[in-house]
Amino acid sequence: MTTPGRGLHGRVLDTLGPAITAGEYPPGSVLRTDELAQHFEVSRSVMREAVRVLESMHLVESRRRVGVTVRPKAEWNVYDPQVIRWRLAGADRPHQLRSLTVLRSAIEPVAAGLAAQHATAEQCAELTECALGMVANSRGHRLEQYLVHDIAFHRVVLTASGNEMFARLGDVVAEVLAGRTHHEVMFEDPDPAAVTLHVRVAEAVRAGDASRAEELTRQIAVGALQELDILAP
């Protein structure tokens, strides 16, 4: 599905990007702009705009007299939310989910501990509101509604840490949480224990208990990895 507002080059990206990340065009493959424009039935200027976006993600590089060359996976911007989304939509999904969840397990507990030390009153209130929203939508197969509050919760934790590097990972965490839901790597209802842990993290942050906030968030991460062992081995 083309992202609204991106026009013709968005349609090209939504086909070409997943094809590259899925390995349909292996590293070193040379793509001819003119041929691609003809294939997608778009102008060369539209094709060049799509290529510029792919270049910004480090998926390809464009050189005169050579064409557009697919770069090695090690050079991709794997933190780009769109690259994450494309990879989660392909055969690489189990590896991608595990890689992202391990990243979360390394970052989010520390961020929660910092949030307990630095969160403002407004951020504490927002965290509590998000946790309660998760509770309210944790039954009755309401995963999409639950997801909204889950993403918001983790964004607040990362932002409230006071560390701008952690805060910038909000989009990455949002993509992995959305990917678990949209690709059915979730139980029909969230694990009640995990929901309760989110509530307790909010309480620990509000109480300024850094060690407890960190430990509870680590338990959430461990639970997420255990879910992957079952649902996406």
Side-chain angles (χ1 to χ4, degrees):
M1 181 181 295
T2 301
T3 303
R6 292 203 300 159
L8 289 174
H9 86 278
R11 177 168 64 82
V12 173
L13 284 171
D14 289 338
T15 301
L16 192 54
I20 291 172
T21 57
E24 293 178 30
Y25 298 99
S29 299
V30 177
L31 313 177
R32 304 294 180 184
T33 304
D34 288 350
E35 293 176 5
L36 289 171
Q38 187 174 25
H39 173 75
F40 287 105
E41 299 181 339
V42 297
S43 68
R44 282 181 289 182
S45 62
V46 168
M47 198 63 234
R48 284 194 296 269
E49 176 60 26
V51 168
R52 278 195 290 269
V53 175
L54 294 173
E55 283 183 298
S56 73
M57 299 172 176
H58 296 180
L59 295 181
V60 303
E61 60 179 343
S62 183
R63 287 184 289 182
R64 293 182 63 184
R65 298 191 181 89
V66 175
V68 179
T69 306
V70 178
R71 300 175 69 163
K73 184 185 292 188
E75 297 177 4
W76 296 354
N77 181 4
V78 294
Y79 288 99
D80 187 294
Q82 185 66 76
V83 173
I84 292 171
R85 197 174 308 143
W86 288 336
R87 294 180 72 190
L88 286 175
D92 196 34
R93 183 182 307 139
H95 176 267
Q96 175 75 156
L97 279 171
R98 190 165 299 278
S99 178
L100 290 165
T101 303
V102 169
L103 174 68
R104 288 182 57 202
S105 71
I107 297 299
E108 289 196 90
V110 177
L114 289 171
Q117 300 174 50
H118 302 296
T120 64
E122 291 77 11
Q123 288 170 329
C124 288
E126 188 177 358
L127 203 58
T128 298
E129 184 179 349
C130 293
L132 293 178
M134 292 172 70
V135 172
N137 290 282
S138 61
R139 285 290 173 268
H141 304 177
R142 304 174 67 182
L143 289 180
E144 286 294 339
Q145 296 93 322
Y146 179 88
L147 175 64
V148 172
H149 298 285
D150 194 12
I151 289 174
F153 180 96
H154 291 279
R155 282 192 186 278
V156 175
V157 169
L158 292 167
T159 302
S161 71
N163 183 299
E164 73 277 9
M165 304 296 286
F166 287 174
R168 287 297 298 273
L169 290 173
D171 288 344
V172 172
V173 173
E175 287 299 335
V176 67
L177 292 173
R180 289 194 317 165
T181 299
H182 297 152
H183 296 294
E184 300 180 351
V185 192
M186 284 276 287
F187 296 111
E188 289 185 340
D189 283 325
D191 178 12
V195 178
T196 299
L197 284 171
H198 283 77
V199 174
R200 290 178 177 167
V201 168
E203 293 171 347
V205 170
R206 189 172 63 246
D209 191 336
S211 61
R212 181 164 174 74
E214 182 171 345
E215 174 55 31
L216 290 167
T217 306
R218 185 166 287 107
Q219 291 180 36
I220 292 173
V222 169
L225 283 168
Q226 289 173 341
E227 281 191 5
L228 288 183
D229 289 338
I230 298 170
L231 298 171

